Amino acid sequence: MGSGCAPRRSPRGSTIGRTTVSDPLQVRLPRRLTAPEPGWVTEADVIVVGSGIAGLTCALALREKGASVLLVTKTLLHAGSTEWAQGGIAAALDPEDSPREHLDDTLVAGVGLCDEDAVETLVTEGPQRVRELVALGARFDTDAAGEITLTREGGHHRDRIAHAGGDATGQEISRALIAQLRRVAEDPGIEVIEQALVVDLLTSEDGSVCGVTLHVIGEGEIDGVGSARARAVVLATGGLGQIYSSTTNPPVATGDGMAAALRAGAVLADVEFVQFHPTVLYLGEGSTGQQPLISEAVRGEGAFLVDGDGQRFMQGRHPLGDLAPRDVVARAILERMAATGTDHVWLDARHLGADFLQRRFPSIVARCRELGLDPSTQLLPVAPAQHYASGGVRTDLDGRTSLPGLYACGEVSCTGVHGANRLASNSLLEGLVFAHRIADDIADRLQTGLPQCDPAPWPDPPRGMVDADILDSGHRLDVQRAMTAGSGPVRSASSTLKTLRRLRELADLEPVEAEPGPRTWETTNLLHLGQALSVAAHLREETRGGHVRSDYPERDDEGWSAHLLLLRDPEDGELVTIQLDVDLAWPEGGEA
Ligand code: SIN
């Protein structure tokens, strides 16, 4: 393990890293965020948190199976990352293609760290789930014969990406699922609460999850902080892109579900593997927040990268050239930027022609035009920016986490499908496939058990620590800057340490300075996940997939064919790291 750790062997052969008090790697997390006492209570069989493809699919499937469902979402139903997915959804729909080939491409992209069973589940169940989505009303782009047209993206050896509205796939899927939700709006068995931020998870004495505390901007009874009780909680809260200064993720992507799960004791895995999308429109130095994505599908249709001298630099670098897996392309761009002293490279799509570009990529063309760019006549300035969290709350094949009663689905989860780097357009598919598996599992268990447990009082704070903490929202930029500088697309031992020191300073600020509320809770979630991510990024002394270390530029299969698991020790609040070799079984936890 990395510097500063005192490793010891666990009975199962994994290495457990703990740190000494003076070590900047020592991270202590509170059990919960400072928040007003719950002023109201509601309940359902199952609470689903989040309204992207994962949350909506899961909620609808659970309701169909007879469970009562409370679906809560932080702002509006359509405001999450699904809405922004351009490229599409990957599935072996072409008779010439096969799940086996999709599996092979996924494993290659994941650079040795995918869980093969999870990938097999994804690729074999995926095609049928996409057909069901069509039956539900999602309108994918089709050819004259009415067959879904498939395109290619990085890392795929076949055309297998179904898309909608050209480059508005997520929007169409979101529309179809929300329309279905509206069709069942009269059903008292499914309740939807918008503007509802989950603050923390409620757990019983034995660690089982019995519900959530949440803050609702509402009217009437359900307003302010309350508690929602359930026999199972499904986190489908999406990613954590706002942890960095620039990202393709929407503003709501503040890692709330992942952070709440971590504080409650759930195991997180592979969080150091952050995907930086190679072709994000570069809007100039200091441009922060959500940035416009130029879909990989544009390269799938023939666009290519050039440097400031007009030289193509992906040819000869990888057999798939400009369509190499995302981590390979992003790294090549970063290297070219460093070598030429620039902050972006260029994407050349001019030869595709104005008509084709308009027809195939209407949203991208419109966004470029708004910004004064014409992709049919001009090169587009692009640079990598944060795009996707490949790790998250570790689950089994039924979406169960290490805490009984807690499930995770979609980007918040780590099913093992993505390994060190997600294959393009596998994320919508993962949300879809595993949402159904979770609904099946919960529905079965509601028949046979899964009792409603009682939340234990919040535990006493570990010694030397206040029982709940928050970081004022005024420090959000500080977290983002620290993460971007030290735990961003290229990291090193010294850069991650610097980041951890800065985050520790922020964590040690007096909480009295902070005003509890949604912006502050989100900022604290970013801080907690930033600390966890930076510890993992510091410990993994190699370069693999989305994790690039300038001081360890090679992949190290000998030392690092392993996952890093992170969890909070309930005794003292300390973040514990476990190095788990890929050939070891996942540790059992709860009922997972
Ligand atoms: C893209 O269209 O390039 C993004 C799709 C994805 O993240 O899989």
Side-chain angles (χ1 to χ4, degrees):
M1 301 287 278
S3 55
C5 280
R8 61 185 162 84
R9 304 298 290 177
S10 81
R12 303 189 61 258
S14 52
T15 304
I16 299 181
R18 274 187 179 266
T19 51
T20 57
V21 177
S22 61
D23 197 315
L25 288 185
Q26 191 200 41
V27 170
R28 285 177 122 201
L29 301 169
R31 167 62 186 87
R32 67 177 175 115
L33 302 177
T34 305
E37 286 302 309
W40 49 269
V41 183
T42 187
E43 61 181 33
D45 288 334
V46 187
I47 298 169
V48 177
V49 189
S51 57
I53 188 169
L56 289 170
T57 304
C58 194
L60 288 166
L62 276 163
R63 185 59 204 137
E64 220 176 283
K65 290 170 190 298
S68 69
V69 181
L70 171 62
L71 174 73
V72 298
T73 191
K74 189 158 73 171
T75 58
L76 299 176
L77 281 173
H78 64 81
S81 294
T82 294
E83 181 84 4
W84 292 92
Q86 293 180 349
I89 184 162
L93 294 166
D94 188 325
E96 299 284 303
D97 195 5
S98 66
R100 174 78 230 179
E101 289 170 87
H102 188 181
L103 178 135
D104 288 344
D105 287 344
T106 302
L107 296 183
V108 169
V111 209
L113 291 191
C114 296
D115 176 332
E116 197 164 331
D117 291 341
V119 180
E120 191 160 347
T121 302
L122 177 85
V123 298
T124 49
E125 296 180 13
Q128 179 54 23
R129 293 304 182 197
V130 173
R131 288 186 200 103
E132 288 168 12
L133 206 50
V134 173
L136 189 114
R139 294 187 290 258
F140 288 98
D141 296 335
T142 52
D143 61 19
E147 295 296 326
I148 293 178
T149 45
L150 299 170
T151 189
R152 197 172 293 212
E153 289 180 7
H156 291 271
H157 284 81
R158 290 231 181 238
D159 291 350
R160 65 167 72 95
I161 319 295
H163 46 88
D167 56 2
T169 314
Q171 214 177 315
E172 171 56 17
I173 290 175
S174 191
R175 183 206 60 74
L177 289 168
I178 292 172
Q180 181 64 11
L181 193 67
R182 305 252 186 257
R183 280 195 278 277
V184 296
E186 298 304 308
D187 177 351
I190 185 159
E191 186 185 359
V192 177
I193 309 182
E194 293 180 304
Q195 306 292 356
L197 168 67
V198 163
V199 183
D200 271 304
L201 300 178
L202 294 166
T203 49
S204 67
E205 299 287 355
D206 72 355
S208 300
V209 171
C210 357
V212 300
T213 55
L214 74 171
H215 175 270
V216 178
I217 303 172
E219 281 168 8
E221 273 174 41
I222 294 196
D223 188 21
V225 173
S227 71
R229 306 272 311 274
R231 293 159 71 185
V233 172
V234 182
L235 294 176
T237 45
L240 46 66
Q242 296 294 330
I243 212 168
Y244 292 103
S245 301
S246 78
T247 173
T248 61
N249 292 188
V252 291
T254 51
D256 310 317
M258 212 186 290
L262 179 63
R263 287 191 295 269
V267 171
L268 266 50
D270 295 344
V271 290
E272 67 275 31
F273 295 112
V274 179
Q275 186 169 83
F276 289 81
H277 196 292
T279 53
V280 178
L281 206 55
Y282 179 70
L283 301 180
E285 205 189 330
S287 172
T288 55
Q290 187 180 13
Q291 308 293 305
L293 175 68
I294 306 293
S295 174
E296 205 161 36
V298 179
R299 274 173 290 133
E301 298 290 357
F304 52 84
L305 291 157
V306 293
D307 65 15
D309 294 327
Q311 295 299 314
R312 292 185 71 165
F313 54 89
M314 284 312 301
Q315 288 169 322
R317 172 127 189 171
H318 187 278
L320 290 171
D322 287 89
L323 275 182
R326 245 169 231 182
D327 59 322
V328 176
V329 182
R331 216 173 306 158
I333 294 175
L334 290 168
E335 282 171 22
R336 189 53 62 121
M337 281 163 38
T340 56
T342 52
D343 40 23
H344 63 278
V345 294
W346 301 92
L347 184 69
D348 193 346
R350 292 172 299 179
H351 57 290
L352 298 179
D355 288 351
F356 177 81
L357 285 167
Q358 178 58 45
R359 197 171 59 251
R360 180 67 181 82
F361 301 112
S363 314
I364 294 173
V365 170
R367 186 77 184 105
C368 285
R369 291 232 170 92
E370 275 169 28
L371 294 162
L373 290 163
D374 180 353
S376 69
T377 58
Q378 288 171 289
L379 297 176
L380 301 177
V382 290
Q386 195 282 347
H387 183 59
Y388 193 83
S390 296
V393 185
R394 178 65 204 180
T395 72
D396 69 5
L397 296 183
D398 292 317
R400 298 187 196 184
T401 71
S402 60
L403 298 182
L406 181 67
Y407 290 74
C409 192
E411 190 172 353
V412 65
S413 72
C414 177
T415 59
V417 152
H418 307 309
N421 175 43
R422 175 174 67 81
L423 183 67
S425 287
N426 266 356
S427 48
L428 291 176
L429 191 70
E430 184 194 39
L432 185 65
V433 165
F434 285 89
H436 280 288
R437 294 182 71 88
I438 289 172
D440 289 345
D441 192 63
I442 293 178
D444 285 352
R445 295 173 78 212
L446 286 174
Q447 304 296 322
T448 58
L450 207 63
Q452 172 69 65
C453 57
D454 287 321
W458 295 114
D460 287 340
R463 237 173 332 131
M465 177 174 202
V466 289
D467 73 326
D469 256 356
I470 41 176
L471 176 65
D472 190 72
S473 62
H475 291 291
R476 185 177 293 210
L477 275 179
D478 296 327
V479 174
Q480 292 170 333
R481 280 195 196 117
M483 288 300 295
T484 305
S487 300
V490 182
R491 302 110 185 231
S492 67
S494 60
S495 77
T496 45
L497 276 186
K498 208 167 157 200
T499 294
L500 281 162
R501 285 202 182 94
R502 178 66 184 129
L503 296 180
R504 169 85 75 86
E505 278 170 20
L506 294 170
D508 286 347
L509 290 174
E510 283 297 318
V512 282
E513 281 183 15
E515 187 62 38
R519 286 283 293 173
T520 284
W521 292 320
E522 285 179 343
T523 302
T524 314
N525 289 334
L526 295 175
L527 170 70
H528 292 162
L529 292 178
Q531 291 179 293
L533 196 160
S534 299
V535 166
H538 181 85
L539 293 177
R540 182 176 285 277
E541 294 175 327
E542 65 155 356
T543 287
R544 181 190 297 264
H547 173 68
V548 179
R549 285 280 298 250
S550 57
D551 48 351
Y552 291 96
E554 304 300 329
R555 169 176 161 184
D556 173 8
D557 283 336
E558 185 97 353
W560 281 103
S561 286
H563 301 276
L564 273 174
L565 275 47
L566 303 174
L567 76 159
R568 176 187 180 274
D569 184 330
E571 296 297 313
D572 56 11
E574 193 176 317
L575 190 70
V576 179
T577 57
I578 303 173
Q579 184 179 340
L580 185 76
D581 291 344
V582 282
D583 50 3
L584 289 173
W586 286 95
E588 280 169 31
E591 295 161 322

